[in-house]
Amino acid sequence: MASSSSNLISLKTSDGTVFKVERALAKTMKTVQAIIEEADANIYMIPIHNVFSHHMDMIIDYYKLSVAGKSKEFSVEKLDNDELKDFLLAVHYLNMEDLFEVLTQAVADRLEKKSVGYVRKYFGIENDFTPEEYAAIRKKNDWAFKGDDIEPEEDEEKQEE
Amino acid sequence: MEETTASTGTLTLTGDDSFQTQRSIPFDLAAEILSKLSVKFLLKFSTTCKSWNSLIHDPKFIKKHLRVSTKRHRLITTTCIPSKKFTVMSYPLHSLPFNSIFNVNATQYEYSPVNLDYHDRLVVSCDGIICFAINQNLAVLWNPSIGKFKTLPTLYTPKDGDDDGHTVYGFGYDPFIDNYKVVSLFYYNVYACKTEVSVYSLGNDCWRRIEDFPPLIPYSQQGVFVCGTVNWLAYYDLDNNDYYRSYAIVSLDLENETYHEISQPDYGGVIDKLTLTLMRDCLCVFSHSDSFDDVWIMKEFGNVESWVKLVRIPRFSNRCLYFDNTKILYVFEDDNHVLLLMEEKFKLKWVVYDSKNDTVKCTKLQDFCWVESKVYVESLLSP
């Protein structure tokens, strides 16, 4: 399936779907743009790893809104935290500046009230503090753990029972 | 414009289509997310692991976080009843309906005042650090979000007869050395135009005296830091002719440590009083006449053609020229709404003025006491 029109670029997602997108949209994906420039001649089809078709659907939605000057209307509310993370990883891979800013902020907003334990799992981080080190640093920042709607830590939850 | 075509075709799932819910996030991406958190949550998550804890102390990350934070203006307010109560609160100024500024997301900070029988006066806030003037020999710096406090070395001030003199402080960023400075302008014996100007750089342990202020009489509550300079209002007229003062904006170049004058806009009428401040990172003048206050900003520092009038605020309700202590706190991004702090019959009112519709709405009311209310942004910077 050669892209006959020079204004459309063919992108193939991880799940095998081919999207024909405007060159202008492809330009917002720095990773894709680099591939196009390196290829020099007419590029046939660009595979985009780690990006699924449902990600592309949202990317196209965002593009349409931002072209119409309505980028503020773009919402990721319907995505749960893990779906949002996956979408962010896809956009990060594609290196799309504006959408990246929107998604990193959305993730930050979602994580604010979460517990440290949740955040470790979400990011895939190990707690490399010794129990003494953790106790010290936790004590120093204890005020930061308090507030309305903040998810309690796992160790605190046990104490409450 | 051509429509994008999404040919959905047949979804063929490859081998690893398992929707992994716990993919880990690379460190650089984590840092991007963290830079968008407010300080409190950043500090909480610094307990996640060692690399995240190091991150919040990393100067590059602190700068990155500040760049994001600078767009989120807040209002920091100190209320003081000497030897009884000193409260510090901050409120969000961005992306909210104006009436809820004081009701949503208010943050309180713990602060132990230095003055017992007077108030620690909030001079200005820059990049998350607040400068308090304790008295004419002492200032302190404080970052309320991280709880770090720094007492400056004592400023020596000469005595000349009975006149104790007066110190005007200024605090801000010096791009020439990529560091923050406090500049003190001490003036005494106004008839002889005696002044002493000193500079303190963050990290140093003493004040350094520089060239004296030019022979004018300083008339500012603070030195305003803009584009590598510090600016004050001053006036020439010494004949006690209060009604026709000739004001000048005196600017100190932080690199050369020399003074020159900044040209003012054409105010277009008789002006009784001026106030110099910072707004939107630009030098800003409020020109006060008996029927209105105008807000002027110098969009391009040093270029007299770039003075622009942002908004006009007429005198309304019981405001009186000579005892009017109305403070213009903030002009919202729409260039239309203005946040003001007014005194009225032993009460303090924070009001939002809508200049298009010429309406005023009171958003907060409290009993009169010593109050300062300034624009503030959060940061991780240590004073």
Side-chain angles (χ1 to χ4, degrees):
Chain A
M1 268 191 282
S3 71
S4 46
S5 161
S6 61
N7 271 331
L8 295 180
I9 306 278
S10 288
L11 300 173
K12 185 173 179 182
T13 57
S14 291
D15 48 354
T17 315
V18 178
F19 288 80
K20 289 203 179 79
V21 304
E22 271 182 48
R23 201 168 264 273
L25 168 51
K27 260 200 163 136
T28 68
M29 305 173 181
K30 292 203 180 115
T31 308
V32 168
Q33 189 60 20
I35 294 173
I36 293 173
E37 279 166 11
E38 250 184 65
D40 213 24
N42 283 325
I43 188 93
Y44 182 67
M45 172 109 62
I46 301 170
I48 42 176
H49 308 296
N50 310 313
V51 183
F52 286 80
S53 47
H54 55 274
H55 297 146
M56 269 310 293
D57 289 333
M58 290 192 280
I59 287 170
I60 290 168
D61 281 344
Y62 178 77
Y63 176 71
K64 284 185 178 163
L65 282 171
S66 59
V67 155
K70 294 181 183 173
S71 51
K72 289 209 169 137
E73 287 179 23
F74 182 74
S75 166
V76 287
E77 260 173 44
K78 60 186 192 296
L79 299 176
D80 69 27
N81 292 350
D82 292 320
E83 288 166 340
L84 180 58
K85 174 168 72 173
D86 257 28
F87 187 31
L88 172 59
L89 284 164
V91 169
H92 182 230
Y93 165 76
L94 290 172
N95 199 347
M96 305 178 72
E97 218 174 287
D98 292 346
L99 188 50
F100 182 72
E101 288 296 309
V102 169
L103 296 182
T104 44
Q105 184 63 63
V107 172
D109 291 343
R110 300 254 187 127
L111 293 178
E112 261 185 13
K113 308 280 171 119
K114 291 293 185 187
S115 66
V116 169
Y118 179 89
V119 165
R120 282 199 190 109
K121 284 205 202 90
Y122 193 80
F123 282 80
I125 321 171
E126 286 286 320
N127 176 9
D128 53 356
F129 287 117
T130 66
E132 295 79 29
E133 284 170 339
Y134 182 74
I137 199 173
R138 169 64 200 263
K139 187 172 171 196
K140 195 172 101 172
N141 295 299
D142 197 46
W143 65 275
F145 286 78
K146 297 186 163 68
D148 300 329
D149 314 324
I150 290 183
E151 213 177 76
E153 295 302 312
E154 284 155 5
D155 47 11
E156 283 168 20
E157 271 182 63
K158 284 183 196 146
Q159 281 165 27
E160 270 159 29
E161 280 154 35
Chain B
M1 185 162 300
E2 278 181 300
E3 274 284 298
T4 49
T5 50
S7 58
T8 41
T10 329
L11 255 177
T12 44
L13 300 175
T14 51
D16 44 299
D17 65 341
S18 55
F19 203 31
Q20 260 193 66
T21 51
Q22 296 308 337
R23 288 165 71 189
S24 66
I25 294 178
F27 187 69
D28 63 311
L29 179 50
E32 285 290 334
I33 297 168
L34 290 172
S35 73
K36 304 214 160 58
L37 283 170
S38 58
V39 172
K40 175 175 170 178
F41 302 115
L42 246 182
L43 291 179
K44 181 169 80 158
F45 296 131
S46 72
T47 64
T48 314
C49 63
K50 285 182 179 171
S51 54
W52 282 27
N53 187 44
S54 307
L55 189 65
I56 64 155
H57 295 105
D58 178 85
K60 281 210 188 100
F61 178 78
I62 291 174
K63 277 207 171 134
K64 187 187 189 54
H65 178 266
L66 177 60
R67 272 198 297 273
V68 175
S69 192
T70 318
K71 300 180 200 140
R72 304 179 193 174
H73 293 156
R74 294 182 74 85
L75 187 75
I76 195 150
T77 300
T78 58
T79 36
C80 171
I81 301 167
S83 39
K84 287 212 178 107
K85 186 178 81 151
F86 193 103
T87 319
V88 185
M89 302 281 307
S90 88
Y91 311 95
L93 284 173
H94 59 277
S95 65
L96 272 180
F98 305 118
N99 354 344
S100 58
I101 287 173
F102 295 97
N103 305 326
V104 178
N105 269 332
T107 312
Q108 179 154 10
Y109 305 100
E110 293 295 314
Y111 178 75
S112 303
V114 181
N115 273 313
L116 295 169
D117 53 358
Y118 193 62
H119 71 139
D120 293 0
R121 190 172 67 83
L122 200 179
V123 176
V124 70
S125 161
C126 175
D127 291 350
I129 296 177
I130 287 170
C131 177
F132 279 109
I134 306 302
N135 56 46
Q136 66 195 41
N137 305 98
L138 188 63
V140 303
L141 296 175
W142 178 50
N143 181 331
S145 299
I146 61 172
K148 290 252 167 75
F149 187 88
K150 167 98 186 163
T151 309
L152 264 57
T154 308
L155 174 71
Y156 165 75
T157 55
K159 248 191 121 70
D160 190 326
D162 291 328
D163 185 1
D164 277 342
H166 185 70
T167 304
V168 178
Y169 292 100
F171 171 70
Y173 177 71
D174 179 354
F176 300 110
I177 59 167
D178 188 25
N179 195 4
Y180 296 83
K181 281 182 167 160
V182 181
V183 174
S184 67
L185 163 56
F186 173 71
Y187 61 100
Y188 60 114
N189 193 340
V190 285
Y191 298 102
C193 280
K194 283 198 172 172
T195 60
E196 284 194 1
V197 182
S198 307
V199 170
Y200 168 83
S201 300
L202 225 58
N204 283 15
D205 53 10
C206 62
W207 288 92
R208 179 172 57 84
R209 201 162 148 211
I210 63 171
E211 191 184 319
D212 287 348
F213 200 71
L216 288 95
I217 299 156
Y219 180 78
S220 266
Q221 297 275 303
Q222 58 157 133
V224 179
F225 271 70
V226 183
C227 296
T229 65
V230 188
N231 302 268
W232 302 263
L233 277 173
Y235 60 91
Y236 291 95
D237 187 8
L238 253 172
D239 297 332
N240 291 318
N241 195 349
D242 289 337
Y243 306 106
Y244 295 104
R245 279 182 182 167
S246 178
Y247 287 103
I249 298 175
V250 177
S251 186
L252 167 70
D253 180 310
L254 284 170
E255 192 180 25
N256 307 318
E257 293 181 343
T258 55
Y259 302 90
H260 60 280
E261 189 174 339
I262 296 286
S263 300
Q264 296 170 60
D266 176 4
Y267 300 115
V270 176
I271 295 303
D272 300 302
K273 202 173 70 154
L274 292 176
T275 305
L276 192 68
T277 185
L278 186 72
M279 192 167 304
R280 302 184 185 177
D281 290 332
C282 295
L283 191 65
C284 172
V285 172
F286 305 147
S287 58
H288 311 279
S289 78
D290 59 2
S291 48
F292 54 79
D293 301 316
D294 284 340
V295 177
W296 298 85
I297 59 169
M298 192 176 217
K299 287 202 147 162
E300 197 192 308
F301 184 76
N303 178 3
V304 67
E305 312 288 333
S306 71
W307 280 109
V308 161
K309 180 159 60 173
L310 265 189
V311 75
R312 167 166 287 190
I313 303 144
R315 298 267 154 155
F316 45 75
S317 66
N318 306 321
R319 291 174 63 193
C320 154
L321 172 66
Y322 303 110
F323 306 108
D324 182 57
N325 272 322
T326 300
K327 295 199 176 117
I328 301 168
L329 299 179
Y330 187 70
V331 176
F332 290 90
E333 262 173 44
D334 60 11
D335 287 355
N336 175 39
H337 290 86
V338 187
L339 181 65
L340 307 163
L341 173 57
M342 297 171 59
E343 280 172 33
E344 206 170 285
K345 292 187 182 128
F346 309 115
K347 293 270 185 202
L348 288 165
K349 293 163 70 166
W350 282 259
V351 306
V352 176
Y353 172 69
D354 177 332
S355 75
K356 258 197 211 129
N357 301 315
D358 197 29
T359 54
V360 175
K361 182 154 186 136
C362 179
T363 52
K364 181 173 152 75
L365 187 69
Q366 70 178 57
D367 288 332
F368 184 85
C369 59
W370 291 112
V371 158
E372 295 289 343
S373 224
K374 305 262 170 166
V375 176
Y376 164 76
V377 297
E378 287 191 334
S379 84
L380 293 162
L381 279 167
S382 236

